[in-house]
Amino acid sequence: MITTSKITMRFGKTALFEDVSVKFIPGNRYGLIGANGSGKSTFMKILTGQLDQSDGVVTIGNGCTLGYLRQDHSAFDEQSIIDTVYTGNDKLWKLHCEREYLYSQDELTDAENDRCSHIEEEFGDAGGYTMEAEAAALLIGLGFTEDLFEQKMDVLQGGFKLRVLLAQVLFGQPDILLLDEPTNHLDMGSIEWLVDLLKRYSGTILTISHDRFFLNQVCTHIADLDFHEIRMFPGNYDDFTIASLEARELQEKANKKVEKQANELKAFISRFSSNASKAKQATSRKKTLDKLDIKKFKASSRVSPFIRFAAKTRLGDKVIDAKEISKAYDEKLFSNFSCTIGPEERIAIIGKNGTGKTTLLNILCDQLKSDSGHVKFGETIDIGLFPQDSSGLLEPGVKAIDWLGRFAASGTSEVELRSFMGRMLFRGEDVMKKIGVLSGGEKARLILSKMTMEGGNVLALDEPTNHLDLESIEALNFALSLFTNTLIFVSHDHRFIATLATRIFEITEAGIIDYPGTLDEYEAMKKSQKK
């Protein structure tokens, strides 16, 4: 069990949260949610002891072990991938290293010989004889092949390093598991594998995530960080959404009832306070009025952007026609793929990481040339593009408003640019920030601002939810659901795909599967084929 008592965290005079007293109970799985900047990661770092709180106490149950998904991706670069996973169990790792050392020596001292006679029992009791199989199962579940196990960590890119660190913390089987954005850089298959593993986990889990499917599948409770406090809700993310709305509606109704009563009392007091025969009653009502409590609503840290995509030109019947396209780098990604995309289709490109999802999207949008075949656009097509890697589009040294102004129509005023940016939550002097200092979420919203301003009649988005908070994801999801023209997107967000896609392109080792239906229909079809 882990509890907090009156935890407060201040930076200067600004308080992220105040007097937070919560209890995380064994067997429960908590989703810690809140707007970007509300203090979720800070709170988790306080729980792990990486940060000292301004006030209050954190208490971890006697004998409880705590595991935390590391954010330092380069800490184990000189170790092998499999050894990095082993280090998640500190006791077992030390026994393993000692055992390896003893058995590597040509000659042993008497003390070392005596140690050899005991270490095997300790090693076995600690799980040493199954450690390789257990670590391998974790790595395979996260998308690694056995030929990589002995490779050093420094051969991996950031997303795959994060997977190893996730396997590391899971291997330790701690009583309390703290995960900060564990689904980042995971493909849909790995997310579903992680969901299944966490649902079977017997300890306490506290996870930060902006993946609604993950929160719904894993969480038994939601810890909502808002109004500078944490409120606990039973159930998953959808349950929280309903409960929080109902709680606010009930409070609004209660306030209206109290306000009506207060107005009636004020009217009586005003009318009869100077009337001698009614003076006693007026005084009594004044006392009642003074006791009435109208709850004031605190300002929420949650703010949703206003996103709407409106095509400036009509889209014709012919959109994209791809014939026999192929692409290979060191290895073949896909070959001889053909498709015809119509004016009202919503296509999700899915598949394991590294299979070529971004490559396929870029070829279909004429951002990248295929090795063979061709892509033909309809005459009316005007693509609005959201790239996964924005480094080639955004310039760090340029002010956000100046960058956006480059894509505005001639004669667009600064007031109009500020209006576009304001809808994307850039307030006041925020528009003057240089792009290099913007957060990932701010950069994503700036690109979305460009897209809404340009008014493309075909939208192509590559992992658009990666850096957005839940409110922004919901707003983008809704905006895209209202867009009636062609939509092509890459995503690992299960709910995002399930609510938008009417056609699925899955890139597999055997080729690209073109399924004319929703994600739920596609998954049901695949399950029926396995039976």
Side-chain angles (χ1 to χ4, degrees):
M1 181 185 294
I2 185 168
T3 62
T4 69
S5 177
K6 295 186 176 300
I7 291 291
T8 295
M9 189 63 181
R10 299 187 190 89
F11 293 100
K13 294 182 179 180
T14 303
L16 271 182
F17 39 82
E18 298 179 281
D19 296 331
V20 172
S21 297
V22 289
K23 183 183 295 185
F24 300 104
I25 299 171
N28 289 344
R29 302 185 295 272
Y30 300 88
L32 179 59
I33 66 170
N36 284 349
S38 61
K40 301 185 296 297
S41 293
T42 299
F43 182 74
M44 191 169 276
K45 286 177 180 177
I46 289 172
L47 297 183
T48 63
Q50 295 177 80
L51 277 179
D52 292 328
Q53 62 271 25
S54 303
D55 293 297
V57 178
V58 176
T59 305
I60 297 175
N62 288 334
C64 283
T65 55
L66 188 149
Y68 175 62
L69 178 59
R70 295 175 182 269
Q71 299 301 309
D72 182 0
H73 295 181
S74 60
F76 299 88
D77 275 0
E78 295 306 309
Q79 283 190 295
S80 71
I81 290 170
I82 192 79
D83 282 351
T84 301
V85 177
Y86 292 154
T87 60
N89 186 326
D90 187 57
K91 178 182 178 182
L92 181 56
W93 173 243
K94 287 177 179 176
L95 285 169
H96 169 73
C97 291
E98 184 183 4
R99 183 171 175 265
E100 291 289 303
Y101 168 77
L102 290 172
Y103 290 162
S104 69
Q105 301 303 301
D106 293 330
E107 294 184 11
L108 297 174
T109 66
D110 290 343
E112 287 172 338
N113 269 314
D114 183 58
R115 179 60 180 149
C116 283
S117 65
H118 295 93
I119 195 170
E120 285 298 327
E121 183 178 356
E122 290 181 33
F123 184 68
D125 289 344
Y129 299 126
T130 60
M131 64 186 285
E132 185 175 353
E134 290 172 1
L138 289 170
L139 288 170
I140 289 169
L142 287 166
F144 290 90
T145 53
E146 291 186 17
D147 59 296
L148 288 171
F149 290 1
E150 298 299 332
Q151 296 286 317
K152 283 191 175 183
M153 284 283 285
D154 63 4
V155 306
L156 300 178
Q157 299 299 315
F160 282 93
K161 282 185 181 180
L162 182 65
R163 292 182 185 214
V164 179
L165 298 178
L166 178 56
Q168 179 191 61
V169 72
L170 293 170
F171 182 77
Q173 296 184 324
D175 301 303
I176 302 164
L177 188 58
L178 304 179
L179 305 171
D180 191 347
E181 297 287 8
T183 63
N184 276 3
H185 307 290
L186 297 187
D187 54 43
M188 287 177 63
S190 296
I191 291 172
E192 289 175 1
W193 172 87
L194 180 60
V195 163
D196 183 61
L197 187 148
L198 294 180
K199 286 168 76 171
R200 292 184 280 108
Y201 208 82
S202 59
T204 305
I205 296 174
L206 177 61
T207 181
I208 297 170
S209 181
H210 63 247
D211 187 313
R212 296 162 296 173
F213 169 80
F214 179 79
L215 292 170
N216 276 333
Q217 292 293 311
V218 169
C219 296
T220 61
H221 295 74
I222 296 294
D224 178 37
L225 179 49
D226 197 8
F227 310 109
H228 304 291
E229 62 186 15
I230 292 180
R231 296 177 298 165
M232 203 69 75
F233 292 83
N236 61 20
Y237 178 71
D238 283 349
D239 295 328
F240 154 76
T241 302
I242 295 168
S244 60
L245 286 173
E246 287 179 346
R248 188 172 183 90
E249 286 173 1
L250 285 172
Q251 188 59 63
E252 287 175 348
K253 287 180 181 178
N255 273 4
K256 286 179 181 178
K257 187 176 180 180
V258 173
E259 286 172 357
K260 182 181 178 183
Q261 184 182 0
N263 289 333
E264 290 172 351
L265 290 170
K266 287 175 183 176
F268 185 92
I269 294 165
S270 175
R271 183 176 178 186
F272 295 111
S273 57
S274 59
N275 187 321
S277 63
K278 299 282 188 177
K280 193 172 184 180
Q281 294 179 46
T283 301
S284 174
R285 281 166 170 73
K286 179 67 169 62
K287 290 179 181 179
T288 302
L289 178 64
D290 292 340
K291 292 178 182 177
L292 290 181
D293 182 20
I294 299 176
K295 299 288 185 184
K296 292 184 178 179
F297 291 105
K298 296 180 181 178
S300 173
S301 58
R302 285 191 172 86
V303 186
S304 296
F306 181 83
I307 308 173
R308 291 294 183 271
F309 298 102
K312 289 186 176 179
T313 58
R314 188 186 70 82
L315 183 64
D317 292 335
K318 295 182 179 180
V319 181
I320 299 174
D321 187 28
K323 294 292 186 185
E324 303 294 322
I325 59 174
S326 304
K327 194 66 183 179
Y329 290 103
D330 294 333
E331 296 180 356
K332 180 190 75 174
L333 293 176
F334 48 82
S335 61
N336 303 321
F337 176 62
S338 299
C339 66
T340 298
I341 299 172
E344 295 180 359
E345 293 197 273
R346 300 165 176 271
I347 298 170
I349 302 174
I350 65 174
K352 292 181 179 179
N353 286 348
T355 55
K357 300 186 296 294
T358 294
T359 299
L360 177 58
L361 180 71
N362 285 337
I363 289 174
L364 292 175
C365 296
D366 199 29
Q367 300 295 305
L368 179 69
K369 295 299 180 185
S370 60
D371 294 338
S372 63
H374 68 270
V375 176
K376 185 177 180 181
F377 282 178
E379 293 181 1
T380 62
I381 190 171
D382 178 18
I383 295 181
L385 183 65
F386 185 104
Q388 181 181 163
D389 181 3
S390 62
S391 60
L393 179 62
L394 298 174
E395 298 177 46
V398 177
K399 292 178 182 177
I401 193 169
D402 292 340
W403 178 86
L404 186 64
R406 295 176 183 177
F407 306 96
S410 177
T412 302
S413 67
E414 181 178 321
V415 172
E416 290 173 303
L417 286 174
R418 283 179 174 270
S419 176
F420 274 107
M421 297 181 73
R423 294 171 200 164
M424 295 297 169
L425 308 182
F426 289 90
R427 310 296 190 196
E429 292 307 301
D430 287 348
V431 303
M432 296 297 178
K433 286 182 179 178
K434 288 190 175 180
I435 288 172
V437 303
L438 298 181
S439 67
E442 286 173 323
K443 288 176 181 177
R445 286 187 271 111
L446 184 61
I447 294 172
L448 289 172
S449 187
K450 167 185 175 289
M451 293 175 68
T452 60
M453 186 175 66
E454 289 182 318
N457 56 20
V458 172
L459 299 182
L461 303 98
D462 191 357
E463 298 284 12
T465 64
N466 275 357
H467 298 289
L468 298 178
D469 58 21
L470 282 163
E471 287 67 43
S472 296
I473 292 172
E474 295 278 8
L476 176 60
N477 204 152
F478 181 64
L480 292 174
S481 74
L482 298 178
F483 187 70
T484 56
N485 287 351
T486 304
L487 173 64
I488 311 171
F489 63 98
V490 174
S491 182
H492 64 257
D493 187 316
H494 190 286
R495 185 158 173 176
F496 196 76
I497 300 167
T499 55
L500 291 174
T502 60
R503 186 176 176 185
I504 306 292
F505 290 170
E506 182 177 16
I507 307 178
T508 71
E509 291 180 359
I512 298 175
I513 299 170
D514 181 354
Y515 181 79
T518 66
L519 179 64
D520 290 342
E521 291 167 344
Y522 180 56
E523 290 183 335
M525 182 270 290
K526 289 201 295 184
K527 285 180 182 177
S528 67
Q529 289 180 343
K530 290 180 180 179
K531 292 180 180 178

